[in-house]
Amino acid sequence: MTLTIIGRSSSHFTRTARLFAHELSVEHAFRPVADLTSRDVSHYAGNPSLKIPILETAEGPWFGALNICRELARRAAHVPVIGWPELLTDRIAVNAQELVLQGMSTEVSLIMQAAAQPNGVIARESKAMESLLNSLQWLDAHLPEVRARQAAPGALSILDITAYCFFTHLEFREVTDVRPYRALRAFCDAYGARPAAQATSYRFDF
Ligand SMILES: N[C@@H](CCC(=O)N[C@@H](CS)C(=O)NCC(=O)O)C(=O)O
């Protein structure tokens, strides 16, 4: 059975898994979920949380972007040095990873809440938005120093991948004006040159 990533080309958690698969040259298919408001578990390859991405394998589904990355690494023929979140020990680096993953989840909540409103507008005055903007400011100030002090320079870093997928998604979904975050922009411009980033650019599947 072909490995299949189920998700959406417009989803940052899906892109994390797909970008990682490309980096590791793991052959896989991609199947988009048509409607993220669906409450039918079968539309999410059996994921009871009704979330994407899912990795479909002969043994069954794997739920969640980072679990998928770990399973892809176990199946890859050649595995580079990988900067997994649990290997980060520096306080600023682990805080950066936390803020990126939490920011991705906060963004999902804002977008899903907006989709449930008749006007479809993102709640810009909400605490969730303030959390997101505070986190972006913090990341803009700290990500460059974290990246400069990486324990394993040149490793395929989950912090880099998730930060890239997170920040570029804010721009893609027009969640906020990203122009003030110059360090994050510079990082994404450089990271976006990677073939795996270019092969997974955001778009709406339907
Ligand atoms: N913990 C999950 C979170 C995945 C997630 O929030 N995915 C979003 C799309 S990027 C989703 O399924 N949204 C639909 C919803 O929240 O109902 C992971 O790490 O993959």
Side-chain angles (χ1 to χ4, degrees), residues 11-14 36 44 50-53 63-66 105 108 112:
S11 140
H12 51 14
F13 282 113
T14 304
L36 268 199
Y44 302 85
L50 309 177
K51 299 271 187 189
I52 54 169
F63 308 145
L66 292 189
S105 294
V108 170
M112 294 307 291

Side-chain angles (χ1 to χ4, degrees), residues 14-178:
T14 304
R15 190 178 192 184
T16 297
R18 294 178 80 192
L19 197 154
F20 192 83
H22 278 275
E23 287 283 357
L24 266 59
S25 303
V26 177
E27 218 175 293
H28 64 282
F30 175 65
R31 193 165 79 236
V33 171
D35 176 11
L36 268 199
T37 63
S38 165
R39 298 181 186 201
D40 183 337
V41 175
S42 72
H43 294 162
Y44 302 85
N47 183 350
S49 73
L50 309 177
K51 299 271 187 189
I52 54 169
I54 305 104
L55 177 70
E56 209 168 55
T57 71
E59 295 75 36
W62 296 80
F63 308 145
L66 292 189
N67 282 340
I68 293 172
C69 291
R70 292 191 178 93
E71 180 58 11
L72 291 170
R74 285 187 285 268
R75 290 173 183 252
H78 303 288
V79 185
V81 177
I82 298 173
W84 295 110
E86 56 272 27
L87 299 180
L88 297 172
T89 52
D90 176 79
R91 180 178 61 86
I92 307 293
V94 299
N95 287 344
Q97 183 68 81
E98 165 64 15
L99 293 184
V100 167
L101 292 175
Q102 182 54 57
M104 290 169 82
S105 294
T106 302
E107 198 197 348
V108 170
S109 307
L110 284 165
I111 291 171
M112 294 307 291
Q113 277 165 17
Q117 300 299 317
N119 59 10
V121 170
I122 287 179
R124 299 200 186 273
E125 303 305 320
S126 58
K127 182 181 177 192
M129 180 58 89
E130 199 159 329
S131 154
L132 192 65
L133 299 183
N134 290 347
S135 301
L136 283 170
Q137 212 175 1
W138 190 100
L139 286 165
D140 198 55
H142 292 93
L143 195 66
E145 93 191 52
V146 166
R147 297 195 70 250
R149 290 193 282 119
Q150 288 181 95
L156 183 63
S157 152
I158 295 290
L159 176 58
D160 282 355
I161 294 175
T162 51
Y164 176 75
C165 294
F166 173 42
F167 191 71
T168 50
H169 194 257
L170 292 166
E171 192 167 29
F172 170 67
R173 293 304 305 259
E174 299 179 350
V175 171
T176 188
D177 179 4
V178 295

